[in-house]
Amino acid sequence: MDTLGLLLQGFGVALQPVNLMWALVGSVLGTAIGILPGIGPALTIALLLPVTTALAPTSAFIMFAGILYGAMYGGSTTSILLNTPGEAGSMMTALEGNKMARAGRGAAALATAAIGSFVAGTFATLALTFAAPFVAELAFYFKPTDYFAITALAFCSVAVVMGASRTRGFISLFLGIAIGVIGIDAMTGQPRLTFGNMQLLRGIALTVVLVSLFAVGEILYVASRYRSVPGVMAPVKGKLWMTREDFARSWKPWLRGTAIGFPMGALPGSGSEIPTMLSYTLERKLSKHPEQFGKGAIEGVAGPEAANNAAAAGILVPLLTLGLPTSATAAVLLAAFQNYGLQPGPFLFTSNPALIWGLIASLYVGNVMLLVLNLPLVGIWVQLLRIPRPQLYAGILVFAMIGVWGLAGSWVDLAIMFVVGLAGYVMRVYDFPIAPVLIGLILGPMAENQLRTALAAGQGNPMVLVSTPLSAILLTIAVLLLALPILLKRLRAHA
């Protein structure tokens, strides 16, 4: 069946009343956590993993998609009105959005952010609709060496790009890989890194690590930097809609932001920060009113917000087609698939098309819901900022403990949660990136399995790793990612 026929079947799934309800729940929850600083989609989905196992997989992933998209919408509200980005991808929005709000144009800033998110989300979902089946079809021809090269490139990209230091990035990555190989070796049956503890023979549950790093480590970090003095919120003034001039200055940035955000979101390690920064820089160079940047230029809100939402759709392409997470949120979504005994990749498109196409169709539905929820109801959403922050953080920690205990009723899991949570807090304090830990934890066992399979097929000859053109190209890029910064640094030193 062609793509459009499959998409129509997906709409048949997404428009079922129960799935519409979960799409609405995810959209509302996503907008709320996007508005609240320090609570992102990765943390929220990680917290929900233990309590959503009773849901049908399709309903659960439709809700998770709503949370992912909703957080992108909601993050702009606090950026514009409070100059406090609710999401990392909304940092660039705060530069111009808050200036517009203080100049009495907050309504126009919120409108261009919401409409830009809708336009970018719709176009990016269209690109996902047609790109995902094509990539999945190609993936059928991948050999173990190709999969190993893809994971090696992902490791290098994430470790090099994320965080302020490559050394910290690789330490985080190797920590994740070490946690991922705890348990019984699937090929030899030998225990690894269990230290004689029978509970560790089954390995450390992925959900426990996710909840520990995000719910415990992240919340401890945010709470430790909590300021009891609230920020000054700019009132929503001005017309409740954009003027003709605002539209004329916004529509091109919306399209350019989409074109930047979608492919960047599909690349390992780019996240939402890089495309939004690129979009802001591009709009500043192309604007007919460069003097307004830094004082409240609407292009500086429209472009980055579009790039932010398009990147959210971009992460789903490698995740759904190759099982490759390119960000922390994608890693949590991959863990959610594994929670249901599903492995994203080309076979999922043929074995469970209702789930895949229902999820993609729900992105269109969720986009419309989010536009309706965000444009007229801004005044209600900002009231969430009145929730006392200490009680909010304490509630999240209690919810996390209940969720981890509910997984297996194990005191060992709670002890792991405490240790990993403290480690996550220390990592945040000393600027060690969290995403490489998750990607190492999830992709480490997969990379090991593909490497050993490839070497076994090649009778131990390491040259088998570059036996296909794709693997040779990807491994070359991975080596260049590691070597080029060092070479350039030495060249500058000699110059």
PDB file of all heavy atoms in Angstrom, residues 384-407:
ATOM      1  N   LEU A 384      -0.045  28.533  35.742  1.00  0.00           N
ATOM      2  CA  LEU A 384       0.715  27.382  36.254  1.00  0.00           C
ATOM      3  C   LEU A 384       1.983  27.828  36.978  1.00  0.00           C
ATOM      4  O   LEU A 384       2.492  27.129  37.861  1.00  0.00           O
ATOM      5  CB  LEU A 384       1.106  26.446  35.100  1.00  0.00           C
ATOM      6  CG  LEU A 384      -0.011  25.610  34.471  1.00  0.00           C
ATOM      7  CD1 LEU A 384       0.501  24.928  33.221  1.00  0.00           C
ATOM      8  CD2 LEU A 384      -0.529  24.581  35.462  1.00  0.00           C
ATOM      9  N   LEU A 385       2.487  28.992  36.604  1.00  0.00           N
ATOM     10  CA  LEU A 385       3.715  29.487  37.236  1.00  0.00           C
ATOM     11  C   LEU A 385       3.483  29.877  38.689  1.00  0.00           C
ATOM     12  O   LEU A 385       4.440  30.144  39.421  1.00  0.00           O
ATOM     13  CB  LEU A 385       4.263  30.678  36.445  1.00  0.00           C
ATOM     14  CG  LEU A 385       4.725  30.328  35.025  1.00  0.00           C
ATOM     15  CD1 LEU A 385       4.981  31.582  34.218  1.00  0.00           C
ATOM     16  CD2 LEU A 385       5.979  29.470  35.062  1.00  0.00           C
ATOM     17  N   ARG A 386       2.222  29.919  39.114  1.00  0.00           N
ATOM     18  CA  ARG A 386       1.915  30.237  40.512  1.00  0.00           C
ATOM     19  C   ARG A 386       2.049  29.025  41.427  1.00  0.00           C
ATOM     20  O   ARG A 386       1.975  29.151  42.636  1.00  0.00           O
ATOM     21  CB  ARG A 386       0.499  30.819  40.624  1.00  0.00           C
ATOM     22  CG  ARG A 386       0.309  32.115  39.837  1.00  0.00           C
ATOM     23  CD  ARG A 386      -1.094  32.680  40.061  1.00  0.00           C
ATOM     24  NE  ARG A 386      -1.324  33.847  39.237  1.00  0.00           N
ATOM     25  CZ  ARG A 386      -0.958  35.090  39.581  1.00  0.00           C
ATOM     26  NH1 ARG A 386      -0.337  35.302  40.728  1.00  0.00           N
ATOM     27  NH2 ARG A 386      -1.210  36.096  38.766  1.00  0.00           N
ATOM     28  N   ILE A 387       2.189  27.823  40.839  1.00  0.00           N
ATOM     29  CA  ILE A 387       2.362  26.618  41.661  1.00  0.00           C
ATOM     30  C   ILE A 387       3.650  26.757  42.461  1.00  0.00           C
ATOM     31  O   ILE A 387       4.718  27.024  41.898  1.00  0.00           O
ATOM     32  CB  ILE A 387       2.436  25.348  40.782  1.00  0.00           C
ATOM     33  CG1 ILE A 387       1.127  25.154  40.014  1.00  0.00           C
ATOM     34  CG2 ILE A 387       2.738  24.115  41.627  1.00  0.00           C
ATOM     35  CD1 ILE A 387       1.179  24.012  39.011  1.00  0.00           C
ATOM     36  N   PRO A 388       3.603  26.583  43.790  1.00  0.00           N
ATOM     37  CA  PRO A 388       4.840  26.703  44.594  1.00  0.00           C
ATOM     38  C   PRO A 388       5.876  25.677  44.124  1.00  0.00           C
ATOM     39  O   PRO A 388       5.600  24.476  44.071  1.00  0.00           O
ATOM     40  CB  PRO A 388       4.368  26.405  46.020  1.00  0.00           C
ATOM     41  CG  PRO A 388       2.897  26.656  46.001  1.00  0.00           C
ATOM     42  CD  PRO A 388       2.429  26.316  44.620  1.00  0.00           C
ATOM     43  N   ARG A 389       7.039  26.167  43.769  1.00  0.00           N
ATOM     44  CA  ARG A 389       8.052  25.306  43.177  1.00  0.00           C
ATOM     45  C   ARG A 389       8.531  24.198  44.132  1.00  0.00           C
ATOM     46  O   ARG A 389       8.706  23.051  43.699  1.00  0.00           O
ATOM     47  CB  ARG A 389       9.224  26.169  42.709  1.00  0.00           C
ATOM     48  CG  ARG A 389       9.957  25.668  41.468  1.00  0.00           C
ATOM     49  CD  ARG A 389       9.066  25.526  40.261  1.00  0.00           C
ATOM     50  NE  ARG A 389       8.428  26.750  39.842  1.00  0.00           N
ATOM     51  CZ  ARG A 389       9.023  27.707  39.157  1.00  0.00           C
ATOM     52  NH1 ARG A 389      10.272  27.584  38.803  1.00  0.00           N
ATOM     53  NH2 ARG A 389       8.340  28.765  38.788  1.00  0.00           N
ATOM     54  N   PRO A 390       8.781  24.462  45.425  1.00  0.00           N
ATOM     55  CA  PRO A 390       9.239  23.374  46.322  1.00  0.00           C
ATOM     56  C   PRO A 390       8.262  22.198  46.368  1.00  0.00           C
ATOM     57  O   PRO A 390       8.666  21.043  46.333  1.00  0.00           O
ATOM     58  CB  PRO A 390       9.359  24.070  47.680  1.00  0.00           C
ATOM     59  CG  PRO A 390       9.598  25.512  47.351  1.00  0.00           C
ATOM     60  CD  PRO A 390       8.783  25.764  46.116  1.00  0.00           C
ATOM     61  N   GLN A 391       6.946  22.516  46.466  1.00  0.00           N
ATOM     62  CA  GLN A 391       5.945  21.434  46.510  1.00  0.00           C
ATOM     63  C   GLN A 391       5.916  20.659  45.193  1.00  0.00           C
ATOM     64  O   GLN A 391       5.728  19.444  45.180  1.00  0.00           O
ATOM     65  CB  GLN A 391       4.553  22.022  46.804  1.00  0.00           C
ATOM     66  CG  GLN A 391       4.350  22.432  48.258  1.00  0.00           C
ATOM     67  CD  GLN A 391       4.802  23.858  48.529  1.00  0.00           C
ATOM     68  OE1 GLN A 391       5.755  24.337  47.913  1.00  0.00           O
ATOM     69  NE2 GLN A 391       4.125  24.533  49.447  1.00  0.00           N
ATOM     70  N   LEU A 392       6.101  21.370  44.082  1.00  0.00           N
ATOM     71  CA  LEU A 392       6.113  20.713  42.768  1.00  0.00           C
ATOM     72  C   LEU A 392       7.276  19.727  42.676  1.00  0.00           C
ATOM     73  O   LEU A 392       7.096  18.567  42.268  1.00  0.00           O
ATOM     74  CB  LEU A 392       6.223  21.767  41.669  1.00  0.00           C
ATOM     75  CG  LEU A 392       6.329  21.248  40.236  1.00  0.00           C
ATOM     76  CD1 LEU A 392       5.050  20.540  39.814  1.00  0.00           C
ATOM     77  CD2 LEU A 392       6.645  22.391  39.275  1.00  0.00           C
ATOM     78  N   TYR A 393       8.460  20.156  43.067  1.00  0.00           N
ATOM     79  CA  TYR A 393       9.635  19.288  42.994  1.00  0.00           C
ATOM     80  C   TYR A 393       9.496  18.089  43.934  1.00  0.00           C
ATOM     81  O   TYR A 393       9.845  16.958  43.578  1.00  0.00           O
ATOM     82  CB  TYR A 393      10.903  20.077  43.339  1.00  0.00           C
ATOM     83  CG  TYR A 393      11.208  21.211  42.387  1.00  0.00           C
ATOM     84  CD1 TYR A 393      11.901  22.342  42.804  1.00  0.00           C
ATOM     85  CD2 TYR A 393      10.801  21.157  41.055  1.00  0.00           C
ATOM     86  CE1 TYR A 393      12.167  23.390  41.922  1.00  0.00           C
ATOM     87  CE2 TYR A 393      11.062  22.188  40.173  1.00  0.00           C
ATOM     88  CZ  TYR A 393      11.745  23.304  40.610  1.00  0.00           C
ATOM     89  OH  TYR A 393      12.015  24.333  39.753  1.00  0.00           O
ATOM     90  N   ALA A 394       8.992  18.336  45.143  1.00  0.00           N
ATOM     91  CA  ALA A 394       8.808  17.236  46.098  1.00  0.00           C
ATOM     92  C   ALA A 394       7.806  16.214  45.556  1.00  0.00           C
ATOM     93  O   ALA A 394       8.008  15.004  45.683  1.00  0.00           O
ATOM     94  CB  ALA A 394       8.333  17.785  47.445  1.00  0.00           C
ATOM     95  N   GLY A 395       6.737  16.699  44.925  1.00  0.00           N
ATOM     96  CA  GLY A 395       5.738  15.795  44.351  1.00  0.00           C
ATOM     97  C   GLY A 395       6.323  14.927  43.256  1.00  0.00           C
ATOM     98  O   GLY A 395       6.007  13.737  43.154  1.00  0.00           O
ATOM     99  N   ILE A 396       7.182  15.513  42.425  1.00  0.00           N
ATOM    100  CA  ILE A 396       7.817  14.746  41.344  1.00  0.00           C
ATOM    101  C   ILE A 396       8.699  13.643  41.919  1.00  0.00           C
ATOM    102  O   ILE A 396       8.691  12.502  41.441  1.00  0.00           O
ATOM    103  CB  ILE A 396       8.637  15.685  40.434  1.00  0.00           C
ATOM    104  CG1 ILE A 396       7.696  16.571  39.621  1.00  0.00           C
ATOM    105  CG2 ILE A 396       9.544  14.894  39.496  1.00  0.00           C
ATOM    106  CD1 ILE A 396       8.392  17.661  38.830  1.00  0.00           C
ATOM    107  N   LEU A 397       9.470  13.954  42.963  1.00  0.00           N
ATOM    108  CA  LEU A 397      10.349  12.947  43.574  1.00  0.00           C
ATOM    109  C   LEU A 397       9.544  11.802  44.181  1.00  0.00           C
ATOM    110  O   LEU A 397       9.916  10.625  44.038  1.00  0.00           O
ATOM    111  CB  LEU A 397      11.233  13.599  44.645  1.00  0.00           C
ATOM    112  CG  LEU A 397      12.346  14.513  44.126  1.00  0.00           C
ATOM    113  CD1 LEU A 397      13.072  15.181  45.293  1.00  0.00           C
ATOM    114  CD2 LEU A 397      13.344  13.735  43.281  1.00  0.00           C
ATOM    115  N   VAL A 398       8.435  12.139  44.863  1.00  0.00           N
ATOM    116  CA  VAL A 398       7.589  11.092  45.451  1.00  0.00           C
ATOM    117  C   VAL A 398       6.989  10.220  44.344  1.00  0.00           C
ATOM    118  O   VAL A 398       6.979   8.988  44.434  1.00  0.00           O
ATOM    119  CB  VAL A 398       6.479  11.731  46.320  1.00  0.00           C
ATOM    120  CG1 VAL A 398       5.458  10.672  46.740  1.00  0.00           C
ATOM    121  CG2 VAL A 398       7.081  12.389  47.552  1.00  0.00           C
ATOM    122  N   PHE A 399       6.497  10.863  43.282  1.00  0.00           N
ATOM    123  CA  PHE A 399       5.922  10.126  42.153  1.00  0.00           C
ATOM    124  C   PHE A 399       6.964   9.205  41.523  1.00  0.00           C
ATOM    125  O   PHE A 399       6.663   8.072  41.130  1.00  0.00           O
ATOM    126  CB  PHE A 399       5.390  11.123  41.119  1.00  0.00           C
ATOM    127  CG  PHE A 399       4.563  10.500  40.030  1.00  0.00           C
ATOM    128  CD1 PHE A 399       3.253  10.151  40.265  1.00  0.00           C
ATOM    129  CD2 PHE A 399       5.111  10.249  38.780  1.00  0.00           C
ATOM    130  CE1 PHE A 399       2.480   9.573  39.261  1.00  0.00           C
ATOM    131  CE2 PHE A 399       4.355   9.672  37.776  1.00  0.00           C
ATOM    132  CZ  PHE A 399       3.033   9.335  38.021  1.00  0.00           C
ATOM    133  N   ALA A 400       8.199   9.684  41.441  1.00  0.00           N
ATOM    134  CA  ALA A 400       9.284   8.880  40.868  1.00  0.00           C
ATOM    135  C   ALA A 400       9.556   7.640  41.714  1.00  0.00           C
ATOM    136  O   ALA A 400       9.731   6.532  41.189  1.00  0.00           O
ATOM    137  CB  ALA A 400      10.553   9.727  40.755  1.00  0.00           C
ATOM    138  N   MET A 401       9.594   7.817  43.028  1.00  0.00           N
ATOM    139  CA  MET A 401       9.847   6.677  43.925  1.00  0.00           C
ATOM    140  C   MET A 401       8.739   5.637  43.822  1.00  0.00           C
ATOM    141  O   MET A 401       8.995   4.432  43.781  1.00  0.00           O
ATOM    142  CB  MET A 401       9.987   7.170  45.362  1.00  0.00           C
ATOM    143  CG  MET A 401      11.264   7.934  45.642  1.00  0.00           C
ATOM    144  SD  MET A 401      11.425   8.379  47.380  1.00  0.00           S
ATOM    145  CE  MET A 401      11.610   6.772  48.131  1.00  0.00           C
ATOM    146  N   ILE A 402       7.493   6.100  43.766  1.00  0.00           N
ATOM    147  CA  ILE A 402       6.359   5.172  43.651  1.00  0.00           C
ATOM    148  C   ILE A 402       6.440   4.408  42.334  1.00  0.00           C
ATOM    149  O   ILE A 402       6.215   3.194  42.282  1.00  0.00           O
ATOM    150  CB  ILE A 402       5.024   5.945  43.748  1.00  0.00           C
ATOM    151  CG1 ILE A 402       4.855   6.523  45.159  1.00  0.00           C
ATOM    152  CG2 ILE A 402       3.844   5.046  43.399  1.00  0.00           C
ATOM    153  CD1 ILE A 402       3.688   7.488  45.297  1.00  0.00           C
ATOM    154  N   GLY A 403       6.797   5.117  41.258  1.00  0.00           N
ATOM    155  CA  GLY A 403       6.904   4.474  39.946  1.00  0.00           C
ATOM    156  C   GLY A 403       7.981   3.413  39.906  1.00  0.00           C
ATOM    157  O   GLY A 403       7.772   2.318  39.371  1.00  0.00           O
ATOM    158  N   VAL A 404       9.161   3.724  40.457  1.00  0.00           N
ATOM    159  CA  VAL A 404      10.270   2.760  40.457  1.00  0.00           C
ATOM    160  C   VAL A 404       9.934   1.556  41.334  1.00  0.00           C
ATOM    161  O   VAL A 404      10.210   0.404  40.967  1.00  0.00           O
ATOM    162  CB  VAL A 404      11.573   3.447  40.928  1.00  0.00           C
ATOM    163  CG1 VAL A 404      12.653   2.419  41.230  1.00  0.00           C
ATOM    164  CG2 VAL A 404      12.062   4.419  39.855  1.00  0.00           C
ATOM    165  N   TRP A 405       9.312   1.790  42.492  1.00  0.00           N
ATOM    166  CA  TRP A 405       8.924   0.673  43.366  1.00  0.00           C
ATOM    167  C   TRP A 405       7.884  -0.205  42.677  1.00  0.00           C
ATOM    168  O   TRP A 405       7.904  -1.433  42.803  1.00  0.00           O
ATOM    169  CB  TRP A 405       8.383   1.206  44.686  1.00  0.00           C
ATOM    170  CG  TRP A 405       7.892   0.122  45.598  1.00  0.00           C
ATOM    171  CD1 TRP A 405       6.600  -0.249  45.823  1.00  0.00           C
ATOM    172  CD2 TRP A 405       8.695  -0.764  46.395  1.00  0.00           C
ATOM    173  NE1 TRP A 405       6.546  -1.292  46.712  1.00  0.00           N
ATOM    174  CE2 TRP A 405       7.824  -1.630  47.078  1.00  0.00           C
ATOM    175  CE3 TRP A 405      10.071  -0.895  46.586  1.00  0.00           C
ATOM    176  CZ2 TRP A 405       8.271  -2.615  47.937  1.00  0.00           C
ATOM    177  CZ3 TRP A 405      10.523  -1.883  47.449  1.00  0.00           C
ATOM    178  CH2 TRP A 405       9.635  -2.730  48.115  1.00  0.00           C
ATOM    179  N   GLY A 406       6.994   0.416  41.916  1.00  0.00           N
ATOM    180  CA  GLY A 406       5.940  -0.339  41.237  1.00  0.00           C
ATOM    181  C   GLY A 406       6.447  -1.221  40.113  1.00  0.00           C
ATOM    182  O   GLY A 406       5.750  -2.135  39.679  1.00  0.00           O
ATOM    183  N   LEU A 407       7.663  -0.979  39.615  1.00  0.00           N
ATOM    184  CA  LEU A 407       8.207  -1.791  38.521  1.00  0.00           C
ATOM    185  C   LEU A 407       8.412  -3.236  38.936  1.00  0.00           C
ATOM    186  O   LEU A 407       8.015  -4.165  38.237  1.00  0.00           O
ATOM    187  CB  LEU A 407       9.539  -1.210  38.039  1.00  0.00           C
ATOM    188  CG  LEU A 407       9.474   0.050  37.182  1.00  0.00           C
ATOM    189  CD1 LEU A 407      10.877   0.585  36.948  1.00  0.00           C
ATOM    190  CD2 LEU A 407       8.791  -0.239  35.854  1.00  0.00           C
TER     191      LEU A 407
END
